[in-house]
Amino acid sequence: MSPRFEANLDWACAQDAADPLRAFRDEFLIPPHEGRDSVYFCGNSLGLQPRAVREAVNAELDYWGELGVEGHFKGRLPWMDYHEFVRDDLAAIVGALPSEVVAMNTLGVNLHLMMVSFYRPTKERPAILIEAGAFPTDRYAVESQIRFHGLDPATALIELEADEPNGLISTAAIERALTEHGARIALVMLPGVQYRNGQAFDLKAITELAHRHGCVVGFDLAHAVGNLPLQLHDSDADFAIWCSYKYLNSGPGAVGGAFVHERHAKAVLPRFAGWWGHDKTTRFQMGPEFVPTPGADGWQLSNPPILALVPLRVSLEIFRRAGMPRLRAKSLQLTGYLEWLVQTQLADVLEVVTPSQPGRRGAQLSIRVIGGRERGRALFEYLMEHGIIGDWREPDVIRISPAPLYNRFADCLAFAEAVRDWAGEGQ
Ligand SMILES: *Cc1c(COP(=O)(O)O)cnc(C)c1O
């Protein structure tokens, strides 16, 4: 059997030259390191800036300067309906109907807004199910919502423990938890991709199980959007939320997003309301009674931050041209190559924590440094000093995420060679 991958620069460069998506890299600003491109593997934390963003932001600044308030109605893309200019691309990326998605706020805010509508605890059903080791915001948000309803997180917050090594959770474990606690659970709130270990969850299977037990289902897609092809509508999830500064490359603190399934489009759900969520056709009659716009738009509070929506629009246009299926095909190869390098060249130094089945992960590999925290930190700092940018998760994990829009096979090889050099220096 001939190996699928090779650990040499000729092979890696040949793959990059044959990559149908290779030109997209040139559309991004790659942070420099000592006069050369750094090897940037941190798109799971902050995606890179598309070159076209600067001009597009400047164009809106010009409209503001030239048009003042008239910019709401004039200009190439009038501000009044600006969030609608990202709607179709956003819907395509998460596999939703356009009316099911909205770009607004940030992830944490959207999570709270969604829980106001979709976490409606009763005496019989007070609980929320999340994964153990959830991202702090998610845990803080659900815990504070539980307290807001006058309930006690000690009984109303159920944290699903891992049943596989490295904090991984099988669908069978979720099924067992639902069998045991399902009748008490109001809301199942799980990630699309777990931020720490990189595990991807089967949204459709989870939704089906949870609905069977009468629970509402929401997903946090912070690490899934722009990373995995999603079919949110078909998953039947009730709601989802995400941020746009990770794989979606929309800039620090970018405008986040929310999905509300079509079946709730016209439901009279309790919500925290604002004028931008009011029925578009009568919003400017400025009446005292709130009538929500049908669909996800009805959860908007404020008129949107136009300057912050510009990078999202530019970025989504890049995703539209690249296409999630092609990006995922390349991502499987790139991450597969990185995993192969770790397993065949670096097994004495590193071990992959993320599931080995490609269907159970996205771009990111969480990689444990063998030998404990100090050794791990030393390697991490060595990599950063050598222009190889990943991120660190206590106590001993480096997250490396090859993003198919701008990373190359040669980047994966550069990572492996740097680790080899460090280990060769007698570490
Ligand atoms: C990145 C991330 C967040 C960040 O939330 P913000 O409100 O955008 O600061 C929250 N939850 C998860 C799971 C994340 O990965």
Side-chain angles (χ1 to χ4, degrees), residues 28-158:
F28 290 87
L29 292 165
I30 313 287
H33 176 82
E34 293 176 356
R36 300 195 322 196
D37 287 349
S38 61
V39 177
Y40 194 83
F41 282 129
C42 222
N44 59 297
S45 182
L46 182 68
L48 293 180
Q49 181 185 144
R51 288 179 188 274
V53 161
R54 183 177 296 268
E55 201 183 307
V57 170
N58 280 335
E60 297 310 324
L61 289 172
D62 289 343
Y63 284 130
W64 182 21
E66 287 158 21
L67 300 170
V69 71
E70 287 292 288
H72 284 111
F73 315 104
K74 294 181 179 163
R76 193 168 72 85
L77 301 166
W79 305 329
M80 182 64 86
D81 300 316
Y82 203 94
H83 72 281
E84 295 180 12
F85 303 136
V86 299
R87 182 197 306 289
D88 289 356
D89 288 335
L90 206 50
I93 271 198
V94 299
L97 304 173
S99 61
E100 290 175 319
V101 298
V102 61
M104 61 178 188
N105 310 317
T106 50
L107 184 152
V109 174
N110 290 337
L111 177 52
H112 276 296
L113 290 178
M114 289 295 117
M115 282 198 284
V116 164
S117 296
F118 291 103
Y119 172 52
R120 307 299 304 165
T122 60
K123 201 162 173 299
E124 296 73 35
R125 249 184 216 282
I128 302 182
L129 179 77
I130 63 172
E131 88 276 21
F135 192 94
T137 265
D138 302 67
R139 200 180 181 292
Y140 302 159
V142 297
E143 198 186 295
S144 58
Q145 287 272 339
I146 287 168
R147 290 186 199 281
F148 176 74
H149 284 280
L151 300 167
D152 182 359
T155 50
L157 178 57
I158 303 174

Side-chain angles (χ1 to χ4, degrees), residues 4 17 39 62 68 79 100 109 206 209 226 231 248 263 306 325 361 372 422:
R4 192 154 64 99
V39 177
D62 289 343
W79 305 329
E100 290 175 319
V109 174
I206 291 169
L209 284 168
Q231 286 84 36
L248 282 190
R263 69 177 167 280
I306 303 303
R361 68 186 183 204
W422 175 79

